[in-house]
Amino acid sequence: MQSSSERAEALVVVAALWMPDNPEIHAWFRAVLDAIYVAIAEDQPFIVLDGEVFDEYTFDEPDDIAQPLLDCLVYNDHLARFDWKASPEEIRRQLESLPSYPRDLPWDWYPVFLQANEGLHLGDLAECFLQALGENCHSHGTALLAVDTQSDSYAVTFMPIELAEQIAGTSYGWASPVRSA
């Protein structure tokens, strides 16, 4: 198992792969990670970045170190984050708002999916929906990439299959393409 700092450092590397044309995001990731290291070294319950205090983060658990970096991806519309019990409609709405959403992605399978999974608990339905969407995406040349949030929420995005596989191989297992089991 990797350390929390290795996980966070991998996020910085992944950001460079994921968003090669966004050096400001890479610089922000590096600055946040450095501010986190300072907060941990000084036993502060907050981070300071460019003179601004961010006190919504705690570093009580080892995986907390990556949360500000994941929040950056969500804030900059590189990831959609939703609760594990979100409805397929809510998930779809969030995913369609991402700049990476493939506009030509077909949804002809969706009504059949809903009918076949009627009555499932929302948590199970969300998981099944993401797997079905991941399969559909893959068959159309796109990957649905999931990032492990270390919580009961999902964080996903779309990207080319080759890039998703490269990121999965670099991410210590916290990012992977979503497909049916």
Side-chain angles (χ1 to χ4, degrees), residues 5-42:
S5 62
E6 288 174 322
R7 175 178 153 85
E9 290 291 344
L11 273 168
V12 175
V13 171
V14 165
L17 290 171
W18 192 336
M19 299 163 274
D21 298 328
N22 290 308
E24 68 282 356
I25 298 288
H26 311 164
W28 194 89
F29 261 50
R30 181 80 259 155
V32 168
L33 191 54
D34 291 343
I36 291 167
Y37 291 150
V38 168
I40 291 169
E42 296 179 3

Side-chain angles (χ1 to χ4, degrees), residues 67-103:
Q67 288 311 306
L69 302 175
L70 291 173
D71 289 347
C72 174
L73 291 170
V74 171
Y75 178 78
N76 287 286
D77 295 325
H78 293 289
L79 279 175
R81 182 184 283 172
F82 40 85
D83 188 72
W84 71 281
K85 296 184 292 185
S87 70
E89 293 80 19
E90 171 63 17
I91 296 169
R92 182 177 175 178
R93 183 189 64 73
Q94 286 193 44
L95 292 174
E96 287 177 338
S97 71
L98 290 174
S100 61
Y101 174 74
R103 302 295 173 217

Side-chain angles (χ1 to χ4, degrees), residues 11 20-21 32 43 67 69 106 118 120-121 134 140 143 150-151 161:
L11 273 168
D21 298 328
V32 168
D43 199 27
Q67 288 311 306
L69 302 175
E118 190 174 350
L120 275 182
H121 178 273
H140 288 88
Q150 299 292 309
S151 70
I161 292 170

Side-chain angles (χ1 to χ4, degrees), residues 82 88 91-93 95-96 101-102 105-107 109-110 113 126-140 142-145 156-158 178-180:
F82 40 85
I91 296 169
R92 182 177 175 178
R93 183 189 64 73
L95 292 174
E96 287 177 338
Y101 174 74
L105 187 66
W107 285 90
W109 59 274
Y110 185 65
F113 167 84
E127 183 178 354
C128 289
F129 172 69
L130 289 171
Q131 289 174 351
L133 177 59
E135 285 297 328
N136 186 49
C137 287
H138 194 270
S139 69
H140 288 88
T142 300
L144 179 65
L145 184 81
V156 298
T157 194
F158 301 96
V178 178
R179 308 251 337 250
S180 296

